[in-house]
Amino acid sequence: MIKTTFHISKMDCPSEERMIRMKLEELNGIHSLQFDIPGRKLEVYHTDSGDKIYNALDSLQLDTQFVSSEVTKPASISDDQHQESRVLWQVLIINFFFFALEIITGFIAGSIGLVADSLDMLADSMVYGLALFAVGSQISRKKKVAGISGYFQLTLSILGFAEVVRRFLGHGENPDFLMMIVISLMALAGNASCLYLLQKSRSQEAHMKASMIFTSNDVIVNLGVIAAGGLVYLTASKVPDLIIGTIVFILVATGAYRILQLSK
């Protein structure tokens, strides 16, 4: 068994991790993959040539660099898949619940920030659902599901951008800042619960670590919407809400692009 280590500079979220997994599934001779997303490092345990692995990774244009290669024992594979699936189902349900809550209250409050955050929650649900739905599936099925999810998410972000432009041009009243803050605090509690569940699982599997990073980013988005609500109150303007909404829609569109890369 050979362990080859790569440094992948642009591997910083679950989308890249899944993109790499699906790309390398096309190759024979790979025993297991060990990801270190914060360290931008990938260890591949394989029996075939490492050149094929490097070429496959390089084709993803994630700035892959070869680090080292050595003969070693196979990496151990965790048998706790049932527990991990249960945790992923829990965080999926929490995210989908807050998607529904935020999109309804977002329209009631007239807040683009809440609507954008709801779509971010939906994007998270789609990522978790894709991971669960595609387990054990053929590569072609995984790519088809990824493509449908990506296009749907991209469509939502485009509609969101259109609404931001419409409101920038003077349509719509100032959002209800109090509802923005209260609902975002609830969503923050939901994301904190997801983070707790993921950390409590103590899983060392890559997709679980990636999910923790993903959820940590959502906490930052929630804080941004709360801050925007405060600025709406202080400035009596809808501009802070539109700005945070635009930022979140960009994040959603970027996530859609990354998911679409999986379908190629």
Side-chain angles (χ1 to χ4, degrees), residues 233-246:
Y233 169 70
L234 293 174
T235 64
S237 169
K238 59 187 174 184
V239 172
D241 179 55
L242 296 178
I243 291 174
I244 190 64
T246 300

Side-chain angles (χ1 to χ4, degrees), residues 200-211:
K200 186 180 178 182
S201 71
R202 298 181 184 275
S203 173
Q204 296 303 307
E205 290 297 307
H207 62 282
M208 299 297 282
K209 289 183 177 180
S211 297

Side-chain angles (χ1 to χ4, degrees), residues 122-142:
L122 177 62
D124 292 351
S125 300
M126 291 167 64
V127 169
Y128 295 132
L130 178 61
L132 289 166
F133 180 76
V135 170
S137 300
Q138 296 180 346
I139 294 175
S140 59
R141 186 183 184 189
K142 292 180 181 180

Side-chain angles (χ1 to χ4, degrees), residues 37-59:
I37 293 181
R40 309 294 196 270
K41 184 175 73 172
L42 168 64
E43 293 178 348
V44 183
Y45 292 81
H46 60 100
T47 54
D48 286 353
S49 169
D51 292 338
K52 294 181 180 179
I53 299 172
Y54 174 79
N55 291 335
L57 293 171
D58 190 54
S59 68

